[in-house]
Amino acid sequence: MSSPHTKSAAVAAALTALDEGRTPERPVYREAVRTLLAVLAERAPGRSVEVRVPPYGAVQCVAGPRHTRGTPPNVIETDPATWLALATGRLDWAAAVTEGRVRVSGSRADLSAHLPL
């Protein structure tokens, strides 16, 4: 099930660039990352996990204990290309973690139930 958000022009353009071995233009990359982060936050509402994709964005998501101050106990961080691959089903969560393409900390830092978008 895909939403109109996951079919956005920015996501398509960024994936095309990556498929061609190019780095997407910065505004396109930023919009694609933020669009897919927003979809994640919409589909997995909550504030127990922070997902960071520097330098473009971060969201809090996943139901559970709410975090309010300092560094969240459950953090997931990855690069933009890995995030796009995970969000669109081109990369498996477990493989990304095993390969070190995703850095995770905390007992709730697992998005496998929410990906792909």
Side-chain angles (χ1 to χ4, degrees), residues 22-73:
R22 299 181 291 114
T23 300
E25 293 180 29
R26 193 170 174 86
V28 170
Y29 224 175
R30 180 176 53 245
E31 184 180 340
V33 166
R34 288 181 178 174
T35 296
L36 293 172
L37 285 171
V39 172
L40 174 64
E42 177 183 302
R43 292 190 185 173
R47 298 180 64 84
S48 70
V49 176
E50 185 166 294
V51 180
R52 301 174 181 168
V53 186
Y56 299 119
V59 295
Q60 290 188 349
C61 58
V62 183
R66 182 175 177 189
H67 169 74
T68 56
R69 294 176 47 135
T71 301

Side-chain angles (χ1 to χ4, degrees), residues 15-16 18-19 84-92 116:
L15 290 173
T16 297
L18 291 169
D19 287 346
L84 292 181
L86 285 166
T88 59
R90 294 173 169 215
L91 178 62
D92 176 70

Side-chain angles (χ1 to χ4, degrees), residues 49 51 62 74-76 93-94 97 104-115:
V49 176
V51 180
V62 183
N74 300 290
V75 176
I76 296 165
W93 174 258
V97 172
V104 298
S105 66
S107 60
R108 295 177 166 272
D110 181 351
L111 294 180
S112 59
H114 306 288
L115 296 173

